[in-house]
Coordinates of all heavy atoms in Angstrom, one line a residue:
M2 N -105.7 53.4 -58.0 CA -104.7 52.4 -58.4 C -104.1 51.8 -57.1 O -103.8 52.5 -56.1 CB -103.6 53.2 -59.1 CG -102.6 52.3 -59.8 SD -101.3 53.2 -60.6 CE -99.9 52.7 -59.6
V3 N -103.8 50.5 -57.2 CA -103.2 49.8 -56.1 C -101.7 50.1 -56.1 O -101.1 50.0 -57.1 CB -103.5 48.3 -56.2 CG1 -102.8 47.5 -55.1 CG2 -105.0 48.0 -56.1
K4 N -101.2 50.4 -54.9 CA -99.8 50.6 -54.8 C -99.0 49.3 -54.9 O -99.5 48.2 -54.5 CB -99.4 51.2 -53.4 CG -99.8 52.7 -53.3 CD -99.3 53.2 -52.0 CE -99.6 54.7 -51.9 NZ -99.3 55.3 -50.6
P5 N -97.8 49.3 -55.5 CA -97.0 48.1 -55.6 C -96.7 47.5 -54.2 O -96.8 48.2 -53.2 CB -95.7 48.6 -56.2 CG -96.0 49.9 -56.8 CD -97.1 50.5 -56.0
S6 N -96.5 46.2 -54.2 CA -96.2 45.6 -52.9 C -94.9 44.7 -53.0 O -94.5 44.4 -54.1 CB -97.4 44.7 -52.5 OG -97.7 43.8 -53.5
A7 N -94.4 44.5 -51.8 CA -93.1 43.7 -51.7 C -93.2 42.7 -50.6 O -93.9 43.0 -49.6 CB -91.9 44.7 -51.6
H8 N -92.4 41.7 -50.7 CA -92.2 40.7 -49.6 C -90.8 40.8 -49.2 O -89.9 40.6 -50.0 CB -92.6 39.3 -50.1 CG -92.4 38.3 -49.0 ND1 -92.1 37.0 -49.4 CD2 -92.3 38.3 -47.7 CE1 -91.9 36.2 -48.3 NE2 -92.0 37.0 -47.2
A9 N -90.5 41.2 -47.9 CA -89.1 41.4 -47.5 C -88.9 40.9 -46.1 O -89.8 40.7 -45.3 CB -88.7 42.8 -47.6
S10 N -87.6 40.6 -45.8 CA -87.2 40.3 -44.4 C -86.1 41.3 -44.0 O -85.5 42.0 -44.9 CB -86.6 38.9 -44.4 OG -87.5 37.9 -44.7
H11 N -85.9 41.5 -42.7 CA -84.9 42.4 -42.3 C -84.2 42.0 -41.0 O -84.7 41.1 -40.3 CB -85.4 43.9 -42.2 CG -86.1 44.1 -40.9 ND1 -85.9 45.3 -40.2 CD2 -87.0 43.4 -40.3 CE1 -86.7 45.3 -39.1 NE2 -87.4 44.1 -39.1
I12 N -83.0 42.5 -40.8 CA -82.3 42.4 -39.6 C -82.1 43.8 -39.0 O -81.6 44.7 -39.7 CB -80.9 41.7 -39.8 CG1 -81.1 40.3 -40.4 CG2 -80.1 41.6 -38.5 CD1 -79.8 39.6 -40.9
L13 N -82.5 44.0 -37.8 CA -82.3 45.3 -37.1 C -81.3 45.2 -36.0 O -81.4 44.4 -35.1 CB -83.7 45.7 -36.6 CG -83.7 47.0 -35.8 CD1 -83.3 48.2 -36.6 CD2 -85.0 47.2 -35.1
V14 N -80.2 46.1 -36.2 CA -79.2 46.2 -35.1 C -78.9 47.6 -34.8 O -79.4 48.5 -35.5 CB -77.9 45.5 -35.6 CG1 -78.1 44.0 -35.8 CG2 -77.4 46.1 -36.9
K15 N -78.2 47.8 -33.7 CA -77.9 49.2 -33.2 C -76.9 50.0 -34.0 O -77.0 51.2 -34.2 CB -77.5 49.2 -31.8 CG -78.6 48.7 -30.8 CD -78.7 49.7 -29.7 CE -79.7 49.3 -28.6 NZ -81.0 49.0 -29.1
S16 N -75.8 49.3 -34.5 CA -74.7 50.1 -35.1 C -74.5 49.7 -36.5 O -74.8 48.6 -37.0 CB -73.4 49.8 -34.3 OG -73.0 48.5 -34.5
K17 N -73.9 50.7 -37.3 CA -73.6 50.4 -38.7 C -72.5 49.4 -38.8 O -72.5 48.5 -39.7 CB -73.2 51.7 -39.3 CG -72.9 51.6 -40.8 CD -72.6 52.9 -41.5 CE -72.6 52.7 -43.0 NZ -72.3 54.0 -43.7
S18 N -71.6 49.4 -37.9 CA -70.5 48.4 -37.9 C -71.0 47.0 -37.8 O -70.5 46.1 -38.4 CB -69.4 48.8 -36.9 OG -69.9 48.7 -35.6
E19 N -71.9 46.8 -36.9 CA -72.5 45.5 -36.7 C -73.3 45.1 -37.9 O -73.1 43.9 -38.4 CB -73.5 45.5 -35.5 CG -74.0 44.1 -35.2 CD -74.9 44.0 -33.9 OE1 -75.2 45.0 -33.3 OE2 -75.2 42.8 -33.6
A20 N -74.0 46.0 -38.5 CA -74.7 45.7 -39.8 C -73.7 45.3 -40.9 O -74.0 44.3 -41.6 CB -75.6 46.9 -40.2
M21 N -72.6 46.0 -41.0 CA -71.6 45.8 -42.0 C -71.0 44.4 -41.8 O -70.8 43.6 -42.8 CB -70.5 46.8 -42.0 CG -70.9 48.2 -42.3 SD -71.3 48.5 -44.0 CE -69.7 48.7 -44.7
Q22 N -70.7 44.1 -40.6 CA -70.1 42.8 -40.2 C -71.1 41.6 -40.6 O -70.6 40.6 -41.2 CB -69.8 42.7 -38.7 CG -69.0 41.5 -38.3 CD -68.6 41.6 -36.8 OE1 -68.9 42.5 -36.1 NE2 -67.9 40.6 -36.4
L23 N -72.3 41.8 -40.2 CA -73.3 40.7 -40.6 C -73.4 40.6 -42.1 O -73.5 39.5 -42.6 CB -74.7 41.1 -40.0 CG -74.8 40.9 -38.5 CD1 -76.2 41.4 -38.0 CD2 -74.6 39.5 -38.1
S24 N -73.5 41.7 -42.8 CA -73.7 41.7 -44.2 C -72.6 40.9 -44.9 O -72.9 40.2 -45.9 CB -73.7 43.2 -44.7 OG -73.8 43.2 -46.1
S25 N -71.4 41.1 -44.4 CA -70.2 40.4 -45.1 C -70.3 38.9 -44.9 O -69.7 38.1 -45.7 CB -68.9 40.9 -44.5 OG -68.8 40.5 -43.2
N26 N -71.2 38.4 -44.0 CA -71.3 37.0 -43.8 C -72.5 36.4 -44.4 O -72.8 35.2 -44.3 CB -71.4 36.7 -42.3 CG -70.1 37.0 -41.5 OD1 -69.0 36.7 -42.1 ND2 -70.2 37.5 -40.4
I27 N -73.3 37.2 -45.2 CA -74.5 36.7 -45.8 C -74.4 36.6 -47.3 O -74.1 37.6 -48.0 CB -75.7 37.7 -45.4 CG1 -76.0 37.7 -43.9 CG2 -77.0 37.3 -46.2 CD1 -76.9 38.8 -43.5
S28 N -74.6 35.4 -47.8 CA -74.5 35.2 -49.2 C -75.8 34.6 -49.8 O -76.1 34.7 -51.0 CB -73.4 34.3 -49.6 OG -73.5 33.1 -49.1
K29 N -76.6 34.0 -48.9 CA -77.9 33.4 -49.3 C -78.9 33.6 -48.2 O -78.6 34.0 -47.1 CB -77.7 32.0 -49.7 CG -77.1 31.1 -48.6 CD -76.7 29.7 -49.1 CE -76.3 28.8 -48.0 NZ -75.0 29.0 -47.4
L30 N -80.2 33.3 -48.6 CA -81.3 33.5 -47.7 C -81.1 32.8 -46.4 O -81.4 33.3 -45.3 CB -82.6 33.1 -48.4 CG -83.9 33.3 -47.6 CD1 -84.1 34.8 -47.1 CD2 -85.1 32.9 -48.4
K31 N -80.7 31.5 -46.4 CA -80.5 30.8 -45.2 C -79.6 31.5 -44.2 O -79.8 31.5 -43.0 CB -79.9 29.4 -45.5 CG -80.9 28.4 -46.1 CD -81.4 27.4 -45.1 CE -82.3 26.4 -45.7 NZ -83.7 26.7 -45.7
D32 N -78.5 32.1 -44.7 CA -77.6 32.9 -43.9 C -78.3 34.0 -43.2 O -78.2 34.3 -42.0 CB -76.4 33.5 -44.7 CG -75.5 32.4 -45.3 OD1 -75.5 31.3 -44.8 OD2 -74.9 32.7 -46.4
F33 N -79.1 34.7 -44.1 CA -79.8 35.9 -43.6 C -80.8 35.5 -42.5 O -80.8 36.2 -41.4 CB -80.6 36.5 -44.8 CG -81.2 37.8 -44.5 CD1 -80.6 39.0 -44.8 CD2 -82.5 37.9 -43.9 CE1 -81.1 40.3 -44.5 CE2 -83.0 39.2 -43.6 CZ -82.4 40.3 -43.9
Q34 N -81.5 34.4 -42.7 CA -82.5 34.0 -41.7 C -81.8 33.6 -40.4 O -82.3 33.9 -39.3 CB -83.3 32.9 -42.2 CG -84.2 33.3 -43.4 CD -84.9 32.2 -44.1 OE1 -84.3 31.1 -44.3 NE2 -86.1 32.4 -44.6
K35 N -80.7 33.0 -40.5 CA -79.9 32.5 -39.3 C -79.5 33.8 -38.5 O -79.7 33.8 -37.3 CB -78.7 31.7 -39.7 CG -77.8 31.3 -38.5 CD -76.6 30.5 -39.0 CE -75.5 31.4 -39.5 NZ -74.3 30.7 -39.9
Y36 N -78.9 34.8 -39.2 CA -78.5 36.0 -38.4 C -79.7 36.8 -37.9 O -79.6 37.4 -36.9 CB -77.6 36.8 -39.3 CG -76.2 36.2 -39.5 CD1 -75.7 35.7 -40.7 CD2 -75.3 36.1 -38.4 CE1 -74.5 35.1 -40.8 CE2 -74.1 35.5 -38.5 CZ -73.7 35.0 -39.7 OH -72.4 34.5 -39.8
A37 N -80.8 36.8 -38.7 CA -81.9 37.5 -38.2 C -82.4 36.9 -36.8 O -82.7 37.6 -35.9 CB -83.1 37.4 -39.2
R38 N -82.4 35.6 -36.8 CA -82.9 34.9 -35.5 C -82.0 35.2 -34.4 O -82.4 35.4 -33.2 CB -83.0 33.4 -35.7 CG -84.2 33.0 -36.5 CD -84.4 31.4 -36.6 NE -85.5 31.1 -37.4 CZ -85.4 30.9 -38.7 NH1 -84.2 30.9 -39.3 NH2 -86.4 30.6 -39.5
K39 N -80.6 35.2 -34.7 CA -79.6 35.4 -33.6 C -79.5 36.9 -33.2 O -79.2 37.2 -32.0 CB -78.3 34.9 -34.1 CG -78.1 33.4 -34.0 CD -76.6 33.1 -34.3 CE -76.4 31.6 -34.5 NZ -75.1 31.4 -35.1
K40 N -79.5 37.8 -34.2 CA -79.0 39.2 -33.9 C -80.0 40.3 -34.0 O -79.8 41.3 -33.4 CB -77.9 39.5 -34.9 CG -76.7 38.6 -34.9 CD -75.8 38.8 -33.7 CE -74.5 38.0 -33.8 NZ -73.7 38.3 -32.7
S41 N -81.1 40.1 -34.7 CA -82.1 41.1 -34.9 C -82.8 41.5 -33.7 O -83.2 40.7 -32.9 CB -83.1 40.8 -36.0 OG -84.0 41.9 -36.2
E42 N -83.0 42.8 -33.5 CA -83.7 43.4 -32.3 C -85.2 43.6 -32.6 O -85.9 44.1 -31.7 CB -83.1 44.7 -31.9 CG -81.6 44.5 -31.4 CD -81.0 45.7 -30.9 OE1 -81.7 46.7 -30.7 OE2 -79.7 45.7 -30.8
C43 N -85.6 43.2 -33.8 CA -87.1 43.3 -34.1 C -87.8 42.0 -33.7 O -87.2 40.9 -33.9 CB -87.2 43.5 -35.6 SG -88.9 43.7 -36.2
P44 N -89.0 42.1 -33.3 CA -89.8 40.9 -33.0 C -89.9 39.9 -34.2 O -90.1 38.7 -34.0 CB -91.2 41.4 -32.7 CG -91.0 42.8 -32.2 CD -89.8 43.3 -33.0
S45 N -89.7 40.4 -35.4 CA -89.7 39.6 -36.6 C -88.6 38.6 -36.6 O -88.6 37.6 -37.4 CB -89.7 40.4 -37.9 OG -88.4 41.0 -38.1
S46 N -87.6 38.8 -35.7 CA -86.4 37.8 -35.7 C -86.9 36.4 -35.5 O -86.3 35.5 -36.0 CB -85.5 38.3 -34.5 OG -86.1 38.1 -33.3
Q47 N -88.0 36.2 -34.8 CA -88.5 34.8 -34.5 C -88.9 34.1 -35.8 O -88.9 32.9 -35.9 CB -89.7 34.9 -33.6 CG -89.3 35.3 -32.2 CD -90.5 35.6 -31.3 OE1 -91.6 35.7 -31.7 NE2 -90.2 35.9 -30.0
K48 N -89.2 34.9 -36.8 CA -89.6 34.4 -38.1 C -88.4 34.5 -39.2 O -88.7 34.6 -40.4 CB -90.8 35.1 -38.7 CG -92.1 34.9 -37.8 CD -93.3 35.5 -38.4 CE -93.2 37.0 -38.2 NZ -94.4 37.7 -38.7
G49 N -87.2 34.6 -38.7 CA -86.1 34.8 -39.6 C -86.1 36.2 -40.2 O -85.5 36.4 -41.3
G50 N -86.7 37.1 -39.5 CA -86.7 38.5 -40.1 C -87.9 38.8 -41.0 O -88.0 39.9 -41.5
D51 N -88.7 37.8 -41.3 CA -89.7 37.9 -42.3 C -90.8 38.9 -41.9 O -91.4 38.8 -40.9 CB -90.4 36.6 -42.6 CG -91.2 36.5 -43.9 OD1 -91.6 37.6 -44.4 OD2 -91.4 35.4 -44.4
L52 N -91.0 39.9 -42.8 CA -92.0 41.0 -42.6 C -93.3 40.7 -43.4 O -94.3 41.4 -43.3 CB -91.5 42.4 -42.9 CG -90.3 42.8 -42.1 CD1 -89.6 44.0 -42.7 CD2 -90.7 43.1 -40.7
G53 N -93.3 39.7 -44.2 CA -94.4 39.4 -45.0 C -94.6 40.4 -46.2 O -93.6 41.1 -46.5
W54 N -95.8 40.5 -46.7 CA -96.0 41.4 -47.8 C -96.5 42.8 -47.2 O -97.2 42.8 -46.2 CB -97.1 40.9 -48.7 CG -96.7 39.8 -49.6 CD1 -96.7 38.4 -49.4 CD2 -96.1 40.0 -50.9 NE1 -96.1 37.8 -50.4 CE2 -95.8 38.7 -51.4 CE3 -95.9 41.1 -51.7 CZ2 -95.3 38.5 -52.7 CZ3 -95.4 40.9 -53.0 CH2 -95.0 39.6 -53.5
F55 N -96.1 43.8 -47.9 CA -96.5 45.2 -47.5 C -96.5 46.1 -48.7 O -95.9 45.8 -49.7 CB -95.6 45.8 -46.4 CG -94.2 45.7 -46.7 CD1 -93.5 46.8 -47.3 CD2 -93.4 44.6 -46.3 CE1 -92.2 46.7 -47.6 CE2 -92.1 44.6 -46.5 CZ -91.4 45.6 -47.2
R56 N -97.3 47.1 -48.6 CA -97.4 48.1 -49.8 C -96.4 49.2 -49.7 O -95.9 49.6 -48.6 CB -98.8 48.7 -49.8 CG -99.9 47.6 -50.0 CD -100.9 48.1 -51.0 NE -101.9 47.0 -51.2 CZ -101.8 46.1 -52.2 NH1 -100.8 46.2 -53.1 NH2 -102.7 45.2 -52.4
M57 N -96.0 49.7 -50.9 CA -95.2 50.9 -50.9 C -95.7 52.0 -50.1 O -96.9 52.3 -50.1 CB -95.0 51.3 -52.4 CG -94.0 52.5 -52.6 SD -94.0 53.0 -54.3 CE -92.7 51.9 -55.0
G58 N -94.9 52.6 -49.2 CA -95.3 53.7 -48.4 C -95.7 53.2 -47.0 O -96.0 54.1 -46.1
Q59 N -95.8 51.9 -46.7 CA -96.2 51.4 -45.4 C -95.1 51.5 -44.4 O -95.3 51.5 -43.2 CB -96.7 50.0 -45.4 CG -98.2 49.9 -45.8 CD -98.7 48.5 -45.7 OE1 -98.3 47.6 -46.4 NE2 -99.5 48.2 -44.7
M60 N -93.8 51.4 -44.8 CA -92.7 51.4 -44.0 C -92.1 52.8 -43.9 O -92.4 53.7 -44.7 CB -91.6 50.4 -44.5 CG -92.1 49.0 -44.6 SD -92.5 48.3 -43.0 CE -92.9 46.7 -43.4
V61 N -91.2 53.1 -42.9 CA -90.5 54.4 -42.9 C -89.8 54.6 -44.2 O -89.4 53.7 -44.9 CB -89.6 54.5 -41.6 CG1 -90.4 54.5 -40.3 CG2 -88.5 53.5 -41.7
K62 N -89.7 55.9 -44.5 CA -89.2 56.3 -45.8 C -87.9 55.6 -46.3 O -87.8 55.1 -47.4 CB -89.0 57.9 -45.8 CG -88.5 58.5 -47.1 CD -88.5 60.0 -47.0 CE -88.0 60.6 -48.3 NZ -86.5 60.5 -48.5
E63 N -86.8 55.7 -45.4 CA -85.5 55.1 -45.8 C -85.6 53.6 -46.1 O -85.0 53.1 -47.0 CB -84.5 55.3 -44.6 CG -84.3 56.7 -44.2 CD -85.3 57.2 -43.2 OE1 -86.3 56.6 -42.9 OE2 -85.0 58.3 -42.6
F64 N -86.4 52.9 -45.2 CA -86.6 51.5 -45.4 C -87.4 51.2 -46.7 O -87.0 50.4 -47.5 CB -87.4 50.9 -44.2 CG -87.5 49.4 -44.1 CD1 -86.6 48.7 -43.3 CD2 -88.4 48.7 -44.8 CE1 -86.6 47.3 -43.3 CE2 -88.5 47.3 -44.8 CZ -87.6 46.6 -44.0
D65 N -88.4 52.0 -46.9 CA -89.2 51.8 -48.1 C -88.4 52.0 -49.4 O -88.5 51.2 -50.3 CB -90.4 52.9 -48.1 CG -91.6 52.4 -48.8 OD1 -92.0 51.3 -48.6 OD2 -92.2 53.3 -49.5
E66 N -87.6 53.1 -49.4 CA -86.7 53.3 -50.6 C -85.8 52.2 -50.8 O -85.5 51.8 -52.0 CB -85.9 54.6 -50.4 CG -86.8 55.9 -50.5 CD -86.1 57.1 -50.1 OE1 -84.9 57.1 -49.7 OE2 -86.8 58.2 -50.2
A67 N -85.2 51.6 -49.8 CA -84.3 50.5 -49.9 C -85.0 49.3 -50.5 O -84.4 48.6 -51.4 CB -83.6 50.2 -48.6
V68 N -86.2 49.0 -50.1 CA -86.9 47.8 -50.5 C -87.2 47.9 -52.0 O -87.1 46.9 -52.8 CB -88.3 47.7 -49.8 CG1 -89.2 46.7 -50.5 CG2 -88.0 47.2 -48.4
W69 N -87.4 49.1 -52.5 CA -87.7 49.3 -54.0 C -86.5 49.4 -54.8 O -86.6 49.4 -56.0 CB -88.7 50.4 -54.2 CG -90.0 50.1 -53.4 CD1 -90.4 50.5 -52.2 CD2 -91.0 49.1 -53.8 NE1 -91.5 49.9 -51.8 CE2 -91.9 49.0 -52.8 CE3 -91.1 48.3 -54.9 CZ2 -93.0 48.2 -52.8 CZ3 -92.2 47.4 -55.0 CH2 -93.1 47.4 -53.9
S70 N -85.3 49.6 -54.2 CA -84.1 49.8 -55.0 C -83.1 48.6 -54.9 O -82.2 48.5 -55.7 CB -83.4 51.1 -54.6 OG -83.0 51.1 -53.3
T71 N -83.3 47.8 -53.9 CA -82.4 46.6 -53.7 C -82.7 45.5 -54.7 O -83.9 45.2 -54.8 CB -82.5 46.1 -52.2 OG1 -82.1 47.1 -51.3 CG2 -81.6 44.9 -52.0
P72 N -81.8 44.9 -55.4 CA -82.1 43.8 -56.3 C -82.7 42.7 -55.5 O -82.4 42.4 -54.3 CB -80.7 43.4 -56.8 CG -79.8 44.6 -56.6 CD -80.4 45.3 -55.4
I73 N -83.6 42.0 -56.1 CA -84.3 40.9 -55.5 C -83.4 39.7 -55.2 O -82.4 39.5 -55.9 CB -85.5 40.4 -56.4 CG1 -86.6 41.5 -56.4 CG2 -86.1 39.1 -55.9 CD1 -87.7 41.2 -57.4
K74 N -83.6 39.1 -54.0 CA -82.8 38.0 -53.5 C -81.3 38.3 -53.3 O -80.4 37.6 -53.5 CB -82.9 36.8 -54.5 CG -84.3 36.2 -54.5 CD -84.4 34.9 -55.3 CE -85.7 34.2 -55.1 NZ -86.8 34.5 -56.0
T75 N -81.1 39.6 -52.8 CA -79.8 40.0 -52.3 C -80.0 40.7 -51.0 O -81.1 41.1 -50.7 CB -79.1 40.9 -53.4 OG1 -79.8 42.1 -53.5 CG2 -78.9 40.3 -54.7
V76 N -78.9 41.0 -50.3 CA -79.0 41.7 -49.1 C -78.6 43.2 -49.4 O -77.7 43.5 -50.2 CB -78.1 41.1 -48.0 CG1 -76.6 41.2 -48.3 CG2 -78.3 41.7 -46.6
S77 N -79.3 44.1 -48.8 CA -79.1 45.5 -49.0 C -77.9 46.0 -48.2 O -77.4 45.3 -47.3 CB -80.3 46.3 -48.5 OG -80.3 46.3 -47.0
A78 N -77.4 47.2 -48.6 CA -76.4 47.9 -47.7 C -77.1 48.2 -46.4 O -78.4 48.3 -46.4 CB -75.9 49.1 -48.5
P79 N -76.4 48.5 -45.4 CA -77.0 48.9 -44.1 C -77.9 50.2 -44.3 O -77.4 51.2 -45.0 CB -75.9 49.2 -43.2 CG -74.8 48.4 -43.7 CD -74.9 48.4 -45.2
I80 N -79.1 50.2 -43.9 CA -80.0 51.3 -44.0 C -80.3 51.9 -42.6 O -80.8 51.2 -41.8 CB -81.4 50.9 -44.6 CG1 -81.2 50.1 -45.9 CG2 -82.3 52.1 -44.8 CD1 -80.5 50.8 -47.0
K81 N -80.0 53.2 -42.4 CA -80.3 53.8 -41.1 C -81.7 54.4 -41.1 O -82.1 55.1 -42.0 CB -79.3 55.0 -40.9 CG -79.4 55.6 -39.5 CD -78.3 56.7 -39.3 CE -78.2 57.1 -37.9 NZ -79.4 57.2 -37.1
T82 N -82.4 54.1 -40.0 CA -83.7 54.7 -39.8 C -83.8 55.1 -38.3 O -82.8 54.9 -37.6 CB -84.9 53.7 -40.0 OG1 -84.9 52.7 -38.9 CG2 -84.9 53.0 -41.4
Q83 N -84.9 55.6 -37.8 CA -85.0 56.0 -36.4 C -84.9 54.8 -35.5 O -84.7 55.0 -34.3 CB -86.3 56.8 -36.2 CG -87.5 55.9 -36.2 CD -88.6 56.4 -37.2 OE1 -88.2 56.7 -38.3 NE2 -89.8 56.3 -36.9
F84 N -85.0 53.6 -36.0 CA -85.0 52.4 -35.2 C -83.6 51.8 -35.0 O -83.4 51.0 -34.1 CB -85.9 51.3 -35.8 CG -87.3 51.8 -36.0 CD1 -87.8 52.1 -37.2 CD2 -88.2 52.0 -34.9 CE1 -89.1 52.6 -37.4 CE2 -89.5 52.5 -35.0 CZ -89.9 52.8 -36.3
G85 N -82.7 52.1 -36.0 CA -81.4 51.6 -35.9 C -80.9 51.3 -37.4 O -81.3 52.0 -38.3
Y86 N -80.1 50.3 -37.5 CA -79.6 49.9 -38.9 C -80.2 48.6 -39.3 O -80.3 47.6 -38.6 CB -78.1 49.8 -38.9 CG -77.4 51.1 -38.7 CD1 -77.2 51.7 -37.5 CD2 -77.0 51.9 -39.9 CE1 -76.6 53.0 -37.4 CE2 -76.5 53.1 -39.7 CZ -76.3 53.6 -38.5 OH -75.7 54.9 -38.4
H87 N -80.7 48.6 -40.6 CA -81.4 47.5 -41.1 C -80.6 46.9 -42.3 O -80.0 47.6 -43.0 CB -82.8 47.8 -41.8 CG -83.7 48.6 -40.9 ND1 -84.7 47.9 -40.2 CD2 -83.8 49.9 -40.5 CE1 -85.4 48.8 -39.5 NE2 -84.8 50.0 -39.7
L88 N -80.6 45.5 -42.3 CA -80.2 44.8 -43.6 C -81.5 44.3 -44.1 O -82.3 43.7 -43.3 CB -79.2 43.7 -43.3 CG -77.8 44.2 -42.7 CD1 -77.0 42.9 -42.3 CD2 -77.1 44.9 -43.8
I89 N -81.7 44.4 -45.4 CA -83.0 44.0 -46.0 C -82.8 43.0 -47.0 O -81.9 43.1 -47.9 CB -83.7 45.2 -46.6 CG1 -83.9 46.3 -45.5 CG2 -85.1 44.8 -47.2 CD1 -84.4 47.7 -46.0
W90 N -83.6 41.9 -47.0 CA -83.6 40.9 -48.1 C -85.0 41.0 -48.7 O -86.0 40.8 -48.1 CB -83.4 39.5 -47.4 CG -83.3 38.4 -48.5 CD1 -84.4 37.8 -49.1 CD2 -82.1 37.8 -49.0 NE1 -83.9 36.9 -50.0 CE2 -82.5 36.9 -49.9 CE3 -80.8 38.0 -48.7 CZ2 -81.6 36.1 -50.6 CZ3 -79.9 37.2 -49.3 CH2 -80.3 36.2 -50.3
V91 N -85.0 41.3 -50.0 CA -86.2 41.4 -50.8 C -86.5 40.1 -51.5 O -85.7 39.7 -52.3 CB -86.2 42.6 -51.8 CG1 -87.5 42.7 -52.5 CG2 -85.8 43.9 -51.1
H92 N -87.6 39.4 -51.1 CA -87.9 38.1 -51.6 C -88.5 38.3 -53.0 O -88.1 37.7 -54.0 CB -88.9 37.4 -50.8 CG -88.4 37.1 -49.4 ND1 -87.6 36.1 -49.1 CD2 -88.6 37.8 -48.2 CE1 -87.3 36.1 -47.8 NE2 -87.9 37.1 -47.3
E93 N -89.5 39.2 -53.1 CA -90.1 39.5 -54.4 C -90.9 40.8 -54.3 O -91.2 41.3 -53.3 CB -91.0 38.3 -54.9 CG -92.0 37.8 -53.8 CD -92.8 36.6 -54.3 OE1 -93.2 36.5 -55.5 OE2 -93.0 35.7 -53.5
R94 N -91.3 41.3 -55.5 CA -92.0 42.5 -55.6 C -93.1 42.4 -56.7 O -92.9 41.7 -57.7 CB -91.1 43.7 -56.0 CG -90.2 44.2 -55.0 CD -89.5 45.5 -55.4 NE -88.5 45.3 -56.4 CZ -87.2 45.3 -56.2 NH1 -86.7 45.6 -55.0 NH2 -86.4 45.1 -57.2
E95 N -94.2 43.0 -56.5 CA -95.3 43.1 -57.5 C -95.4 44.6 -57.8 O -95.9 45.4 -56.9 CB -96.5 42.5 -57.0 CG -96.5 41.0 -57.0 CD -97.8 40.3 -56.5 OE1 -98.7 41.1 -56.2 OE2 -97.8 39.1 -56.4
E96 N -95.0 45.0 -59.0 CA -95.1 46.4 -59.3 C -96.5 46.9 -59.6 O -97.3 46.3 -60.2 CB -94.2 46.7 -60.6 CG -92.8 46.3 -60.4 CD -92.0 47.1 -59.3 OE1 -92.3 48.3 -59.1 OE2 -91.0 46.6 -58.7

């Protein structure tokens, strides 16, 4: 069986407070992409945080769980992983 896949973007920052502050300024995808380009510490920042399509289980556990539980086209709460704090925007999912 093929695992479900998702298309998501993220912003990676060092602190939860920075993630919370950014989150409060994001209401639509354009905002998310702008902050990803300016603030994210991930190389994906050059693409507005876009990670493209990936399968369930390909990302670290905390990130993966957030991708599958965050409503589509909204920004997630800050998610802590070994890399820092992520804000995630889920574009779409194929179950």
